[in-house]
């Protein structure tokens, strides 16, 4: 009788409530599944992806890098705290590393459970990019002679991106300033279509930035051009590893 009553109770539930909800796995098994490319074969990125280029990039074995971000439809970045931008759940960032060929593409996604990190390793012919092991790959891609580029572990990603309140290191008020530093060490060119701070504010992608910064050309205070470049090189390459906790 108990089983019969249980079956009757289940039958009385709305159909939607009796179905199991499919949960997408995270991270996705391949880069193709992350939604970066509108056309995988042509390696064409969709128009909704925002390309950007920080003026003080992290040094990574001399890799050529390309970066994109995507916001969920109808959302924006809250920059009311200029040093700690807030991104809506569903925000994604991709960063591609290229040497003689594409080597890896990293994904950072803001989920309901917090920020998550994954790295995808490209095949030699660039036909596919698959999820790297959680522990990373110590010697992945040949750069020159016997020197190889290493793929970071997910804990390595966290050690950089979670060393300060700002989880995204290259998408910020000063990194995207239109007043780009001509003396920035190993500076990257501003790629075609890459959006700077002024454009992001004008398009409503970044909102809440104080008026004196929203004009788009803030710069770090320094006594000389060399000091400006040196201070931000240290910021972009060292500060995230050295936290107030005294840990590396």
């Amino acid at each position: 009788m108990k089983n019969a009553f249980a079956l009757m109770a289940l039958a009385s539930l709305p159909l939607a409530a009796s179905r199991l909800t499919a949960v997408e796995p995270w991270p996705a098994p391949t880069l193709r599944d992350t939604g970066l490319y509108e056309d995988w074969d042509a390696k064409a990125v969709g128009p909704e992806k925002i390309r950007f280029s920080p003026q003080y990039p992290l040094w990574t074995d001399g890799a050529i890098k390309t970066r994109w971000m995507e916001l969920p439809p109808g959302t924006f970045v809250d920059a009311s705290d200029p040093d700690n931008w807030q991104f809506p759940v569903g925000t994604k960032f991709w960063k591609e590393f290229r040497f003689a060929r594409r080597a890896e593409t990293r994904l950072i996604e803001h989920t309901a459970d917090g920020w998550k990190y994954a790295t995808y390793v490209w095949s030699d012919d660039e036909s596919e990019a698959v999820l790297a092991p959680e522990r990373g790959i110590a010697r992945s891609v040949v750069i020159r002679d016997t020197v190889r580029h290493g793929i970071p572990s997910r804990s390595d990603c966290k050690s950089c991106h979670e060393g300060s309140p700002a989880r995204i290191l290259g998408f910020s008020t000063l990194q995207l300033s239109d007043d780009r530093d001509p003396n920035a060490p190993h500076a990257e060119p501003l790629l075609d279509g890459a959006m700077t701070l002024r454009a992001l504010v004008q398009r409503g992608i970044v909102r809440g930035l104080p008026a004196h910064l929203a004009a788009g050309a803030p710069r770090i205070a320094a006594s000389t051009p060399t000091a400006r470049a040196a201070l931000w090189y240290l910021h972009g390459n060292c500060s995230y590893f050295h936290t107030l906790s005294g840990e590396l």
Side-chain angles (χ1 to χ4, degrees):
M1 287 295 292
K2 289 182 179 180
N3 289 338
F5 282 124
L7 290 172
M8 290 173 62
L10 285 173
S12 68
L13 290 173
L15 181 60
S18 65
R19 291 174 177 167
L20 293 176
T21 301
V23 178
E24 293 293 329
W26 207 103
T30 71
L31 180 62
R32 186 195 299 251
D33 297 321
T34 69
L36 172 59
Y37 292 105
E38 183 178 58
D39 183 333
W40 175 264
D41 292 333
K43 301 298 183 290
V45 174
E48 72 283 0
K49 308 299 188 295
I50 299 166
R51 179 180 283 189
F52 66 99
S53 180
Q55 62 173 321
Y56 300 101
L58 178 70
W59 170 257
T60 313
D61 297 333
I64 298 171
K65 304 177 194 176
T66 311
R67 304 167 180 83
W68 303 268
M69 71 92 71
E70 179 182 34
L71 292 172
T75 66
F76 59 89
V77 179
D78 179 1
S80 52
D81 180 349
D83 296 321
N84 184 18
W85 289 7
Q86 298 299 307
F87 299 88
V89 170
T91 302
K92 293 181 179 180
F93 283 85
W94 293 267
K95 181 162 65 172
E96 177 190 279
F97 294 71
R98 181 194 294 266
F99 297 99
R101 61 171 179 81
R102 289 180 176 89
E104 60 164 309
T105 301
R106 299 178 190 176
L107 168 66
I108 303 177
E109 182 173 355
H110 191 195
T111 74
D113 297 322
W115 290 95
K116 294 189 176 181
Y117 313 89
T119 301
Y120 296 88
V121 183
W122 286 88
S123 60
D124 290 345
D125 62 0
E126 300 186 20
S127 63
E128 195 58 272
V130 299
L131 182 66
E134 187 169 351
R135 66 181 181 279
I137 305 173
R139 292 169 58 81
S140 176
V141 180
V142 175
I143 302 173
R144 60 184 180 278
D145 301 328
T146 59
V147 179
R148 287 179 173 266
H149 170 70
I151 305 295
S153 67
R154 289 185 205 163
S155 62
D156 289 333
C157 296
K158 290 181 179 180
S159 69
C160 287
H161 288 276
E162 298 188 0
S164 68
R167 297 293 187 259
I168 304 301
L169 310 182
F171 197 85
S172 66
T173 304
L174 285 167
Q175 286 281 32
L176 298 176
S177 173
D178 290 73
D179 183 13
R180 294 178 73 88
D181 186 351
N183 296 318
H186 54 261
E188 300 171 357
L190 194 61
L191 301 174
D192 290 343
M195 297 187 70
T196 59
L197 184 63
R198 183 178 293 119
L200 291 166
V201 171
Q202 289 175 345
R203 298 190 186 189
I205 295 168
V206 171
R207 303 181 188 179
L209 200 63
H212 69 288
L213 299 174
R219 64 157 60 192
I220 190 170
S223 58
T224 67
T226 300
R228 176 190 178 190
L231 286 170
W232 264 86
Y233 181 84
L234 293 172
H235 173 77
N237 286 268
C238 308
S239 64
Y240 304 110
F241 301 98
H242 299 273
T243 67
L244 293 177
S245 65
E247 297 177 351
L248 286 177

